[in-house]
Amino acid sequence: AKDNGRNSYEFYSQLLSDKANKEEQLKLSLESAIENNDFCVVYQPIVSLKNKSVTKFEVLIRWNMHGKWVSPVDFIPTAEKFGLISKIGDLVLNLACTELCKLRKMGFSDIVFNVNRSIYEFSSGVNDISWLDTIKKYDLNPESICFELTESVLAPENDRCITLLNKLQSAGCTIALDDFGTGYSSLNYLRRFPIDTLKIDRGFISEMTKVEGDKVLVSAIISMAKALGISVVAEGVELKQEVDILVSLGCDYIQGYYFSKPLAPELLSQYLTDFEYG
Ligand code: C2E
Ligand code: CA
Ligand code: CA
Ligand code: CA
C-alpha cells in the first residue's frame, strides 16, 4: 500500500509537470505567433430581431499554428495567465478596424463590430488603455465598436476597470457583458460596471428547449435586462424553435449557427447584401 501511495504520487506529479511543460510550450508558441502575426479573425453576424437585419458582427480570433488551426478556447486562458492577452486584443482590434473601414467605404455605414477584450487586461496594472486611440487612428466613430468583456480566469476586483470602462462608454463605445450566467461574477459585474448589452451564454440557450427551468432563467435574464435598460443578445442559437422562443420572450438580438457561422472577411459585404430574415 505504501508503494502504491508513492507510485500514484509520482504519477500525479508527473502529470502536473507535463501540464506545466505543455503550458510553457504553448506560451512560447504564442509569443512567436504574436511576433509573426499568425492570427486572423472571422466575423459572426448578430441579427436584430427588431430591425430584422444584421446590425453587428462579433470578431473572433483564429490562430494558424504551422498550418494547423488552434481554437481560442485552447489558448486564450494561457494568454491571460501569462500577460499576453492585451497584445492579442490589440491585434484583433486593429484587424477589426481595418475591415470596418473597408465596409464603410462600400457604404455599410451603421455596422458595429463586437471585439472581445479580457477583463484580465484591466488588472495588469494599466492606468490607461490605447483602445480609443486605435479607433481614432482609423478615423472610425467609437460608436462602431462594442467591447465584449470576457473572463476565463478569475480577474481581481478593480476600480480602475470601472474608470476605464466609463471612459470608453463616454467616448461612444458600447460595453457588452459576455457569457452572462457562466462567469465567476456576472451579477457583480452587472452591478458595478457600465454595461449596455448582456450576452446570454449558449449553454442556457441550447438547454432552453429541453429543460423548462432553463427557459425560465432565460426569460428572467431578459426581464431583468429590460428593467435595467440593457439590451440582450442570445448566443449560440441553432434552431428555429429557439428563435421562436426568444422572439416571444422579447430578446433583442440573435447570434448563432441558425443564421450563420463566423465568416471570413471577404464574405461580409455579400452576406450583408443578400441577408433576408426568416
Ligand atoms: P465567445 O465569445 O462566447 O464566442 C462565441 C463562440 O461560440 C465562438 O467560438 C463561436 O464560433 C461559437 N458559436 C457561435 N454560434 C454558435 C452556435 O450556434 N453553436 C455553437 N456550437 N457554437 C457557436 P470560438 O470562435 O471558438 O471562440 C471561443 C471563445 O474564445 C469565445 O467565446 C471567446 O471567449 C474567445 N475568443 C475568441 N476570440 C477572442 C478574442 O479576440 N479575444 C478574446 N479575449 N477572446 C476571444
Ligand atoms: Ca464574445
Ligand atoms: Ca460569449
Ligand atoms: Ca461562450
Side-chain angles (χ1 to χ4, degrees):
K2 223 181 187 176
D3 269 2
N4 261 341
R6 201 186 62 211
N7 286 342
S8 63
Y9 170 76
E10 278 169 5
F11 176 70
Y12 184 62
S13 58
Q14 185 60 44
L15 269 184
L16 278 181
S17 72
D18 282 354
K19 192 167 175 268
N21 277 332
K22 261 198 180 146
E23 196 160 46
E24 184 62 26
Q25 211 50 57
L26 182 58
K27 179 199 158 208
L28 292 173
S29 304
L30 266 175
E31 281 171 340
S32 83
I34 292 168
E35 195 88 6
N36 300 323
N37 238 318
D38 291 337
F39 299 97
C40 61
V41 291
V42 288
Y43 298 84
Q44 188 172 34
I46 301 176
V47 175
S48 158
L49 291 175
K50 187 173 137 241
N51 299 355
K52 298 199 173 348
S53 66
V54 176
T55 55
K56 329 187 223 192
F57 289 90
E58 179 173 1
V59 187
L60 294 156
I61 192 167
R62 295 292 176 263
W63 177 13
N64 188 336
M65 187 185 179
H66 314 300
K68 182 176 114 245
W69 292 100
V70 190
S71 163
V73 185
D74 295 325
F75 67 84
I76 295 289
T78 305
E80 287 183 327
K81 188 170 163 188
F82 292 102
L84 299 170
I85 195 67
S86 280
K87 280 191 181 151
I88 290 176
D90 288 344
L91 228 138
V92 170
L93 181 58
N94 275 284
L95 288 170
C97 287
T98 306
E99 198 54 40
L100 201 50
C101 288
K102 287 189 201 159
L103 284 183
R104 289 277 180 278
K105 286 206 186 90
M106 288 188 260
F108 301 102
S109 51
D110 297 326
I111 294 297
V112 169
F113 276 180
N114 282 27
V115 174
N116 291 288
R117 303 286 319 214
S118 162
I119 287 179
Y120 210 68
E121 294 183 47
F122 295 106
S123 40
S124 44
V126 289
N127 284 310
D128 205 359
I129 37 176
S130 56
W131 309 354
L132 279 174
D133 298 331
T134 303
I135 297 169
K136 284 180 190 138
K137 186 179 86 191
Y138 287 90
D139 210 17
L140 287 165
N141 196 328
E143 266 111 61
S144 22
I145 301 290
C146 169
F147 291 107
E148 293 194 5
L149 298 182
T150 66
E151 68 165 354
S152 69
V153 277
L154 182 59
E157 276 272 328
N158 196 336
D159 284 337
R160 234 175 356 217
C161 183
I162 299 167
T163 310
L164 291 172
L165 289 176
N166 277 324
K167 193 172 149 184
L168 290 168
Q169 206 185 40
S170 332
C173 297
T174 44
I175 311 290
L177 191 52
D178 207 353
D179 299 338
F180 188 79
T182 65
Y184 293 96
S185 36
S186 295
L187 280 176
N188 203 30
Y189 286 149
L190 198 56
R191 187 163 65 85
R192 308 217 332 142
F193 293 172
I195 303 294
D196 301 285
T197 305
L198 179 161
K199 298 190 77 176
I200 307 179
D201 190 70
R202 175 162 66 92
F204 294 103
I205 304 300
S206 54
E207 291 297 306
M208 200 174 53
T209 51
K210 299 170 217 139
V211 185
E212 185 58 28
D214 279 37
K215 186 179 161 188
V216 173
L217 275 178
V218 171
S219 168
I221 294 173
I222 293 172
S223 305
M224 178 188 64
K226 285 208 183 302
L228 292 168
I230 291 171
S231 67
V232 181
V233 180
E235 291 190 310
V237 177
E238 295 180 351
L239 310 170
K240 172 80 167 73
Q241 200 189 348
E242 292 164 352
V243 177
D244 292 343
I245 294 174
L246 290 162
V247 168
S248 76
L249 295 177
C251 183
D252 302 296
Y253 298 92
I254 284 182
Q255 175 180 0
Y257 296 168
Y258 177 75
F259 284 111
S260 175
K261 294 204 165 178
L263 302 167
E266 59 272 19
L267 298 175
L268 293 187
S269 59
Q270 199 58 49
Y271 186 83
L272 283 168
T273 308
D274 294 346
F275 183 82
E276 270 178 60
Y277 181 90

